[in-house]
Structure formats: structure tokens, C-alpha cells
Amino acid sequence: MEPARRSSLKDWGFALLAAAVLAVVGVTSVDGHPLAIATAHPWVVEGIGFVATAALVFFALRIGRRDLKLRLQQLAGGTDALERLSLVAERSANAIIFTDPQRRITWANASFLRMSGRTAETVIGRTWSEVLEVRRLEPDAFDRLRELLAAGRVARTEIQIRTVDGRSIWMDIELLPLRDRDARSTGFLIIGNDISEQVRLRESLREREESARLVLEAADLGTWDWNPQTGALAVNARWFTMAGYDVGEIGTDYVTWSKLVHPDDLPTAEAALSAHLSGATPRYVTTYRLTTKNGEERWFLDSGCVLARDPAGQPLRVAGVRMDITEQKRAETARRDSDELLANIAANVPGMIFQYRRNPDGTACFPYASPRMRSFYGVTPAQAAEDATLAVSAVHPDDLMYLRNSVTQSAIDNVPWRCEYRLCPPGGRTIWVEGRGMPRHLDNGSIVWEGQIVDITERKLMEFEAAAARDELARHRDHLAELVAERTAGLTAALAQAERANAAKSEFLANMSHELRTPMHAILSFAGFGLERISSADRVRLGNYFSRIRTSSQRLLLLLNDLLDLAKLEAGKTVLDCQPHDLADLARQIIGETAATGVAKRVGVEMETPDEPLPVRVDAIRIQQVIANLLSNAIKFSPPGSTVRVTASFGATDAQGNRCARLEVTDQGIGVPESELETIFDKFVQSSKTRTGAGGTGLGLAICREIVQAHHGRIHAESVPGGGTRLVVELPLDDANGARAAA
């Protein structure tokens, strides 16, 4: 027999034995004569009665109280069984009292006295309801208790009592009727325990559930609770009604739901659900169209999550809410249509449409600006929407105060704003604009202008030209002789400049003719040798001819590439692939590629760089072309044993507060005369010191200047004290990283 079953049979046997003993004690005589033990030792009878009563307590506790069972098991084997039962009743954590048939307390354990805050003297002889001062009980609870007790059944209920010190506690009590062998009532056994915390938690849970229900009703949300294993779907009433159905009118299974969802939205919704069920996403969120009962398509948002999974990770319960977002979707569509309409209007209206707001604290922004704002102010509409400072910084310094005064005057007088001013966006040309707008005063103290800004540069140029023409005419009228002399001097200077340019061009053409003829002559000569001796010459010699032809062709190709580069740069047709780069890294690569040339000429190359990167946004190929040209010239014109120094650093701050990346190439060569430091960058021009000996076409530095200027940078030459030349290239720092790197 199993141990648990044997223990259960022993318990029942012990309980029956205790009941029999109690019945015997209840009979103190046989045929009217007192029992000998009762006469000789009355305290023994009382002790046996107490033990028998405790046995009945043990029976009740074995059935209704698990903690008493544990205590009995712990005490088993210690002392005599009767003493153990008495000890259990006295030291139990549950409140235990015995009453007579009139429900007057005859015995109470320490736990009951502690819970009620009373002593044994104050409770013995009083009814348990008087002692406990029952405060809350369901209306029919006493009637139900009486019926159960009258039928000899165990009664159980929850009551709220008041202790001596005024505290209110909740108790869970069981009332067990006690009878003798003749089935006469001998009293009641009452077992109770403090459940105040459980009641508090239960009330808190009920309040939270009620609060959640009210929130869901107020939020107009449908709720659903789905069992993926069985397919069962529990929903609230709003889940039905938001789709136009009465409660229970349609099925709540997954198949019914999938049939109502728009076919174009179902795959997306199912994919979102599958992703969450598999654990790929933390929540299930999707939107879809659903056909309502009257055939209308409405938009819904479903949001939920898995609440329970089995040991294998499969979902057991998924719950969430459904929200009708039709009006939100319609508003989004209307807003999108409105934005598209406004964008189309803005794209076809001359100039820029704007809304400018000045706040009471002095800050300002452009809540709306059409895309042309970038070409006018050099900032995006999104940047200007946060803060107008960047846009205002594009205003010409000489016009800024005038512009601010015009805006202030418009706000004070509440009159239309009109102002003409110049804009100098970063990296762009200066333009004249005219702004017009109407002020509106808002309740919060802000002032808003809506209006338009147009480019009036051509009109202004015409006005300036007309004014200049008028001034010119006045000068002609008042100082005709002086004007003629000035014009003559100007024409003379222009003629001299033209003659210099023509001479330079002629010199360039002569150089070009020579440069073109030299490789072409070599190509033709070696090609002729090859043709004449193709049958007699050995392969080595023919290979030499072909190598000479290839070398001359490459030289010719480089020359033609320079000419094409210059032509494209002058025509503005060169497309730059600008990407973020470190200027120092670009220079290091070129130094590595030209190292062999320096070694061959016994010219050293040293480089100095800052600890931080020099972030620039450039076309790497073109900028490296510039660096290679400058480094090649420096090595070419440096004497053997000298050193070319390449220095990369952060440049000085310009008038607009912008810093630049600076690259210097300094040689110890023959140098450039001070008068030619600027002209060496002109087309067709070479320095007088390099015009002979080293050769060249005079295109290299001209191409370098065109490339650097295309990157909005600068290039110039400086004389180095003691001999040599320094070529300096300055490029704008990358907007994204330059400020942080330079700090």
C-alpha cells in the first residue's frame, strides 16, 4: 500500500477512536452507578475528554487545514500522541475556538486571542459573534450558516471583524458542529485564519479590472484573447459593434476574421502576426481594412502580444486590442493631399513661399517654407522649421540690421512687410531678393508672417546698370575730356592685356605644337622602323619599338587629357563625385605613389598631420590630381638632397566663422618671383624660372585652380624665405564632422 494512502487510513482510524473515547467520557455511570475511574480520579476523565476533543480537532484540521497537517507531521514521533494533539491545537497559526450548543466560547487557542486582541478571561462564556464584533457579512449569510449547521454540515464563510484596538480584519472561518453518540449537539468547533491581505489584493485586482474595463470603454477599444492551439477567440462587445455587427452575430474564430480583412492587407497582417508568434518581434502591431456589415471599408489597428507559451516555446495565449483608425486614416489622406497641393502650388509659384514666426522670447523659426528655401538661404526647410538662425546668417551683413528693422516695424504697425536685401548662402553666389508678407498676432504673443520671397537679382543688376549709366552720362557731360582719357587708358590697358594674352596663347600654342609633335614624331618614327624591319628585326628590337610607341602615346594621352580636363572645367561640365574623406589620408596616398620619383631625384618627402582627421567632402580623384600635380612640381624643381614638406592642418576661420582644411606643399627649389605668384595659375602661363629646362605646357596649375574652385576652395602660392615655393590649398571642412574635429 502507498505511504500516502496508509497515512490517510491511519488518520481516519485515529479520528474514529477519538470520537469513541469522547462518547465514553460523556457517560459517567453504568446502570446508574458512577464509573470507578470517574469516582477515583475525576481529573483523568477531564483529561481524556480534552484529549478526545483534541482528536476531533485533529480530524477537522486534517481535512480543512493543510498547515495543521504539516505541523502534525513535524511533531510526529516526539511525545505522546495525546500531548501532540493538544500542542497542535494550542500552537496552530489558525484561530481555533470551541463553543457550547448556545455558541458560547468554552476554549480558545493563542492564535485566536492574538488575532482578536483579547484575553481568555474576556472571551470565555461569550458568543463568538459578540467577541468578534462581526461588521460585514452577506445578508443571507447567517441563514445559510444556520441551515448548514442544522444539517450537521461544515459551514464556511468570510467575515470582517473588529479587534479590541479598533482594527478591522477579514477572516475565513469554518464552523464544524460537534455531537455526541446520540447525535445531540455538544457545541461547535470554529477554525479561522486572517485573510486581510488576500482580501486587499482581491479588492485591488477587482478595482484594477474595473478601471481597465472603464478605460477600454472610454477609449472605444475592442479586446480580443486568442488561443492559437484551439483557435478559440474571446472578444468584448465593442469588437463586434465597431464592425457594425451585433454581439454574437458573427463567429469569433480566426477564419471569420481573415475573410473580413481586405485581401490586399491580409498578407501583411498575417506576416506581422507570424513574426510575433515566432518571437521575432516584441509585439504584434498591424493596420488593415475590414469590411463592415453594411459593406463599408474601415481601417483598424490591431496591437497585442503573447501572454503565455508552453515549454517548447509555442504560444498558448495571445491578447490585444482593436482600434478603429478610419478617421485618422482619412485625416492623413486629406493632409497628404493638402501637402501635395501646396507643394505643387509652391513648385509653380516664382520664388519661395514661407511662414515666419517670431516668439515672445525673441526666438524665431520658419514653420513652413517651400523647397526653394535651400537655393535662397542655403538651409533646408526642416532646418529652418527648428530655428531661423541658420537662415538669417545667410543675410548680407550690410543688410541685416535693415531687414530686422523692417520686420519689427511691420509687427509694431501691423502693416504688410516689404524689404529688399541680399542673401549670401554658403558656397553660393550673392543674390538680391524681395520679401513680402502680412503679419498676424497670435493669442500666445507670437507674430506670424505669411508671404513670398522672390529673386530680383536681374532687376537689381538692371537698376545698377541704369544708375551706372546715368552716372556715366553725367561724368561724360561734366568731364568729357577726362572720360576720354580714361577710356583711352582703359583701351590701352585692355589692348596691352589682349596682346599679353595673345602672346601667351601664341607661346602656349608653340609649346603645344612642340609637345604634340614630339610624341607624335616618336610614334610615327618607331612605327615606321617597325614596318620596315618587321621581317628582319628580332623580337627584342620590335618590342623596344612598341615600348617607345607606347611611352610616346601615353605622354600624348596625358597631354590631351589635360586639355580635355581644362575644357570641361572651364565649361562647367565636370561632374564631381563628392564623398567624405580625410584630406591627410588623400595626401598620404599620393606621397606613397610618388615616392619612387623622389628617390630617383634624391629628393626627400616629409609630411606633418594633426592628431585629428581633416574631414572634407570632395571628389577624391580630382583632389588627388591636384596634390599629385603640386607634389610632382615640387620634386621636379627641387635640387638633389633637398626635402619637400607636405603639411596638413586646420586653417584659419573666415569672415563667416567657418574653418577650413589646409594643405601646404613646400619645396626648396628655384622659387617663383613675387610678381608671378598669381599669374602662374593663369592658362598658357609658366614661371619665367621654369619656362626653360623643366618644360611643361603651363596647364597644370590652371587645372588645379579650376578643380579647387569647383570644390568652393582656394589655392595660392607663396615665396619661402631663403628660397623655394609654398603652394597652399584650402578646402571647406565637411559640415557633418568639421566642427567637432576642429574643436
Side-chain angles (χ1 to χ4, degrees):
M1 184 178 295
E2 297 175 355
R5 183 172 179 85
R6 288 198 302 270
S7 176
S8 177
L9 291 176
K10 289 180 181 179
D11 293 337
W12 279 101
F14 187 78
L16 292 174
L17 178 61
V21 172
L22 186 62
V24 171
V25 172
V27 181
T28 59
S29 65
V30 176
D31 296 331
H33 298 285
L35 291 176
I37 189 172
T39 303
H41 303 287
W43 58 270
V44 174
V45 175
E46 293 177 358
I48 294 173
F50 176 80
V51 170
T53 302
L56 287 179
V57 172
F58 168 77
F59 174 69
L61 295 179
R62 286 291 291 189
I63 296 175
R65 293 286 182 256
R66 183 176 299 176
D67 60 334
L68 296 183
K69 176 183 176 182
L70 294 175
R71 289 177 178 270
L72 288 173
Q73 291 174 345
Q74 292 172 354
L75 291 172
T79 59
D80 182 79
L82 299 180
E83 293 178 352
R84 291 201 301 269
L85 291 175
S86 176
L87 187 61
V88 166
E90 179 62 32
R91 297 189 178 182
S92 171
N94 295 324
I96 300 175
I97 59 177
F98 287 94
T99 72
D100 60 15
Q102 288 72 40
R103 300 183 178 85
R104 292 188 294 268
I105 298 174
T106 60
W107 182 85
N109 71 347
S111 294
F112 173 81
L113 298 176
R114 184 178 62 256
M115 290 182 190
S116 63
R118 292 171 170 81
T119 63
E121 291 77 11
T122 61
V123 301
I124 300 299
R126 300 178 62 190
T127 65
W128 64 272
S129 58
E130 291 175 346
V131 172
L132 295 180
E133 297 187 29
V134 178
R135 303 190 63 186
R136 287 183 57 184
L137 197 64
E138 296 179 7
D140 60 344
F142 275 116
D143 294 337
R144 189 166 63 251
L145 287 175
R146 290 191 187 96
E147 292 176 1
L148 292 171
L149 294 175
R153 298 170 58 186
V154 176
R156 184 172 182 173
T157 188
E158 294 179 0
I159 62 173
Q160 187 182 34
I161 68 171
R162 181 170 180 172
T163 63
V164 173
D165 58 5
R167 292 183 299 109
S168 294
I169 63 174
W170 278 93
M171 292 190 68
D172 177 21
I173 65 170
E174 287 186 67
L175 288 84
L176 292 83
L178 303 177
R179 298 183 184 278
D180 59 17
R181 65 181 180 179
D182 295 328
R184 292 190 300 261
S185 174
T186 61
F188 297 92
L189 169 63
I190 303 175
I191 304 174
N193 63 332
D194 188 345
I195 60 169
S196 299
E197 182 63 19
Q198 293 92 314
V199 172
R200 186 190 66 77
L201 293 175
R202 190 169 61 205
E203 285 295 311
S204 175
L205 179 60
R206 186 192 63 77
E207 291 174 0
R208 290 184 182 181
E209 290 177 348
E210 179 65 13
S211 176
R213 184 186 64 79
L214 294 175
V215 168
L216 289 174
E217 289 181 359
D220 198 29
L221 297 176
T223 64
W224 50 268
D225 194 333
W226 177 48
N227 185 336
Q229 304 296 326
T230 64
L233 182 66
V235 298
N236 67 348
R238 184 56 184 143
W239 188 89
F240 290 99
T241 59
M242 63 173 38
Y245 293 95
D246 294 331
V247 175
E249 186 175 355
I250 58 173
T252 57
D253 55 281
Y254 181 82
V255 175
T256 302
W257 171 81
S258 62
K259 289 180 179 179
L260 296 177
V261 176
H262 194 286
D264 293 344
D265 301 335
L266 184 58
T268 302
E270 289 181 332
L273 181 59
S274 297
H276 178 61
L277 295 181
S278 65
T281 57
R283 294 191 62 82
Y284 159 64
V285 180
T286 189
T287 58
Y288 55 86
R289 287 163 291 177
L290 186 142
T291 304
T292 62
K293 182 178 179 180
N294 61 7
E296 179 188 8
E297 283 189 355
R298 298 189 69 82
W299 278 95
F300 292 92
L301 180 145
D302 265 11
S303 177
C305 64
V306 174
L307 299 182
R309 296 181 182 271
D310 63 16
Q314 295 301 312
L316 298 176
R317 184 182 179 191
V318 188
V321 297
R322 174 200 278 179
M323 179 188 300
D324 188 332
I325 58 170
T326 304
E327 297 307 319
Q328 177 182 338
K329 283 289 186 178
R330 289 173 179 170
E332 290 176 358
T333 301
R335 184 170 61 252
R336 185 168 57 252
D337 293 343
S338 175
D339 291 343
E340 290 178 358
L341 177 61
L342 181 59
N344 291 333
I345 293 175
N348 292 281
V349 170
M352 166 190 139
I353 299 175
F354 72 91
Q355 182 187 67
Y356 174 76
R357 184 175 70 215
R358 191 169 70 180
N359 300 314
D361 60 2
T363 60
C365 64
F366 286 87
Y368 172 80
S370 57
R372 284 200 180 95
M373 180 165 207
R374 183 156 197 166
S375 61
F376 277 22
Y377 287 90
V379 298
T380 64
Q383 291 173 315
E386 296 180 359
D387 190 354
T389 303
L390 288 176
V392 173
S393 66
V395 178
H396 195 286
D398 295 343
D399 300 340
L400 184 57
M401 186 58 66
Y402 170 66
L403 172 62
R404 286 175 172 167
N405 290 339
S406 69
V407 173
T408 301
Q409 198 63 41
S410 171
I412 294 174
D413 298 338
N414 198 28
V415 296
W417 168 72
R418 181 182 179 278
C419 184
E420 295 180 357
Y421 55 96
R422 286 166 290 179
L423 291 175
C424 310
R429 65 185 183 92
T430 300
I431 60 173
W432 276 92
V433 297
E434 179 185 45
R436 296 174 181 266
M438 181 64 68
R440 285 191 299 114
H441 293 259
L442 305 183
D443 294 338
N444 63 359
S446 300
I447 306 175
V448 172
W449 285 264
E450 286 100 0
Q452 181 184 17
I453 298 175
V454 295
D455 188 338
I456 59 170
T457 304
E458 293 186 5
R459 191 189 81 191
K460 276 293 187 180
L461 290 177
M462 293 175 62
E463 291 176 359
F464 294 150
E465 290 175 359
R470 289 193 297 270
D471 293 342
E472 189 88 5
L473 183 59
R475 289 180 60 201
H476 274 289
R477 185 178 58 249
D478 298 336
H479 307 286
L480 183 57
E482 181 182 349
L483 181 61
V484 170
E486 289 178 357
R487 289 291 187 180
T488 302
L491 291 173
T492 302
L495 178 61
Q497 183 177 0
E499 289 176 349
R500 288 195 300 271
N502 188 53
K505 186 174 182 180
S506 298
E507 184 177 355
F508 165 74
L509 290 175
N511 283 337
M512 290 305 301
S513 298
H514 173 74
E515 292 293 332
L516 289 171
R517 263 199 313 268
T518 300
M520 186 59 69
H521 178 72
I523 292 170
L524 293 174
S525 297
F526 286 109
F529 291 156
L531 289 173
E532 291 174 0
R533 303 172 185 177
I534 190 170
S535 59
S536 59
D538 56 25
R539 295 178 62 87
V540 175
R541 180 164 296 181
L542 287 175
N544 185 41
Y545 293 159
F546 286 131
S547 177
R548 299 283 185 89
I549 291 173
R550 180 179 180 181
T551 301
S552 298
S553 299
Q554 289 175 338
R555 181 180 177 188
L556 182 60
L557 179 61
L558 290 174
L559 182 60
L560 294 175
N561 284 338
D562 282 349
L563 290 172
L564 290 174
D565 283 346
L566 184 59
K568 286 183 179 180
L569 289 167
E570 286 181 334
K573 294 182 178 180
T574 300
V575 178
L576 299 178
D577 180 18
C578 292
Q579 299 293 335
H581 293 284
D582 182 356
L583 184 60
D585 282 345
L586 297 179
R588 289 190 192 95
Q589 295 173 19
I590 297 302
I591 291 173
E593 294 174 4
T594 58
T597 304
V599 171
K601 289 202 64 178
R602 292 191 296 113
V603 175
V605 179
E606 295 181 356
M607 184 173 183
E608 294 181 4
T609 61
D611 295 334
E612 305 88 0
L614 285 172
V616 292
R617 184 173 291 273
V618 297
D619 186 322
I621 294 176
R622 290 297 183 183
I623 292 301
Q624 285 188 323
Q625 179 182 348
V626 172
I627 299 172
N629 187 288
L630 300 183
L631 190 56
S632 176
N633 285 346
I635 294 173
K636 182 191 301 182
F637 300 119
S638 294
S642 62
T643 300
V644 173
R645 186 173 300 279
V646 179
T647 304
S649 63
F650 289 99
T653 304
D654 60 15
Q656 286 74 36
N658 301 317
R659 299 193 69 182
C660 64
R662 181 182 177 98
L663 184 72
E664 300 175 358
V665 179
T666 307
D667 63 47
Q668 298 174 340
I670 55 180
V672 176
E674 289 287 341
S675 60
E676 298 177 2
L677 289 176
E678 182 63 27
T679 59
I680 59 174
F681 292 98
D682 293 340
K683 294 178 285 291
F684 320 131
V685 175
Q686 292 181 320
S687 171
S688 59
K689 292 189 176 183
T690 62
R691 201 170 292 156
T692 59
T697 62
L699 291 178
L701 291 179
I703 293 174
C704 289
R705 169 168 283 184
E706 293 290 342
I707 293 174
V708 172
Q709 289 179 345
H711 285 81
H712 309 299
R714 300 180 297 273
I715 183 171
H716 66 276
E718 302 172 353
S719 290
V720 178
T725 306
R726 177 181 298 112
L727 275 296
V728 181
V729 176
E730 293 178 325
L731 295 170
L733 285 173
D734 185 7
D735 293 339
N737 304 302
R740 182 170 64 255

